[in-house]
Amino acid sequence: GPGPFPGLIDLYGSGGGLVEYRASLLASRGFVTLALAYMAFEDLPFTPETLELGYFEEAVNFLRKQQQVKDTGIGVLGLSKGADLALSMATFLPGIKAAVSISGSSFNSFIPLKGDGFTLPAHPYDLGRMKTSEETGLIDFSDVVDDHMDPATWNCRIPLERSLAKFLFLSGLDDRNWKSQLYCQDVVQRLQQHGREVEFCSYSGAGHLLEPPYLPLCQASIHRVLGMFVHWGGQWREHAKAQEDAWRRIQAFFWQHL
């Protein structure tokens, strides 16, 4: 039909590039979806020194101007690094009504985010703490990031409690990339302390790359930017079930709030 339809911005992780298959599937379910590249694509830097909040604001404004898009607010969903960018957009940009974090964190990870009159620094990390499996040669990044409970890192936190958006957090208990379950629990508790209702679901046996259903589990792959084979985690059956459930939850969440 002619619409108008809910508008979504879709963000993938620090591997960069333009990833469109999830956006295409969401479009087939009735959402006008903009798959947004922000690094390692065409003229975008492979490893940017900073990310500009204004770049993401431009994408929101572009989407809101489309005739097919409902004027009730925009949704944003992100995976991994894209998840914390989605949360930052929901916190700092007007017009974001709902945000989904998949295997993400509540702090700004790896690349400083520059806004209007402020810079959110990157959460401290040390690549010297990455572990290599002697059996498989795969890299485990789960201990690279500094302790998120250390007050010395709190200036990197995204102040989500300022946002008026609704939030859905999804994570796998077998995430080998980083401790997304702990990060989700931390931000959910923080929001609940501010009287906010938050949706949160964690999945036993699910890894980092929670994708749309029926896509095969990717337990390990080469990271485009790092150039290393990374262990993402996940058990076949449990991960498949998690992807089915997460996909239903994501669509229901956006239909409810947009």
Side-chain angles (χ1 to χ4, degrees):
F5 305 101
L8 296 180
I9 291 177
D10 187 10
L11 300 160
Y12 264 77
S14 59
L18 181 62
V19 184
E20 296 183 303
Y21 54 84
R22 186 171 63 191
S24 299
L25 287 166
L26 287 165
S28 77
R29 299 299 190 269
F31 299 95
V32 178
T33 311
L34 172 61
L36 184 62
Y38 56 90
M39 60 185 288
F41 180 70
E42 293 187 347
D43 62 339
L44 296 172
F46 213 68
T47 50
E49 293 184 7
T50 61
L51 291 170
E52 300 280 345
L53 192 61
Y55 175 83
F56 300 92
E57 185 172 23
E58 189 177 337
V60 174
N61 293 337
F62 170 80
L63 191 58
R64 294 180 77 179
K65 288 176 183 175
Q66 305 308 306
Q67 290 185 347
Q68 311 99 307
V69 176
K70 291 174 70 174
D71 61 1
T72 53
I74 299 297
V76 59
L77 75 159
L79 170 73
S80 193
K81 172 60 188 173
D84 70 66
L85 285 170
L87 299 179
S88 290
M89 290 171 69
T91 300
F92 298 117
L93 300 182
I96 302 293
K97 197 171 181 184
V100 174
S101 164
I102 305 170
S103 303
S105 72
S106 61
F107 49 79
N108 183 55
S109 63
F110 303 120
I111 305 170
L113 181 66
K114 189 175 182 180
D116 187 11
F118 72 94
T119 297
L120 201 60
H123 190 99
Y125 66 95
D126 180 4
L127 292 179
R129 291 197 291 262
M130 64 185 183
K131 295 170 285 190
T132 305
S133 168
E134 292 184 6
E135 184 178 342
T136 64
L138 297 175
I139 303 294
D140 183 336
F141 276 96
S142 56
D143 291 326
V144 165
V145 176
D146 286 11
D147 183 5
H148 68 290
M149 299 303 291
D150 182 352
T153 69
W154 288 358
N155 64 328
C156 310
R157 282 182 170 182
I158 302 163
L160 287 169
E161 58 275 5
R162 298 184 196 171
S163 174
L164 299 177
K166 300 293 185 181
F167 295 106
L168 168 62
F169 297 92
L170 302 169
S171 64
L173 294 176
D174 194 38
D175 186 340
R176 300 296 181 88
N177 180 69
W178 62 6
K179 299 169 183 173
S180 57
Q181 166 73 2
L182 290 177
Y183 303 153
C184 285
Q185 287 176 331
D186 175 55
V187 68
V188 167
Q189 290 173 358
R190 185 149 49 99
L191 286 168
Q192 288 174 341
Q193 288 171 358
H194 285 82
R196 303 288 299 279
E197 290 185 14
V198 186
E199 294 185 47
F200 173 42
C201 189
S202 59
Y203 298 101
S204 176
H208 186 69
L209 298 179
L210 279 170
E211 297 276 31
Y214 318 124
L215 287 174
L217 165 63
C218 179
Q219 283 186 321
S221 69
I222 194 164
H223 191 288
R224 282 185 70 204
V225 172
L226 295 171
M228 303 173 181
F229 277 99
V230 176
H231 191 187
W232 304 112
Q235 306 302 315
W236 302 104
R237 183 181 298 273
E238 293 89 340
H239 192 92
K241 288 182 177 180
Q243 289 189 159
E244 286 189 81
D245 185 75
W247 187 241
R248 286 192 293 265
R249 287 178 185 270
I250 289 167
Q251 291 178 79
F253 174 79
F254 282 132
W255 281 119
Q256 178 183 353
H257 298 299
L258 299 181

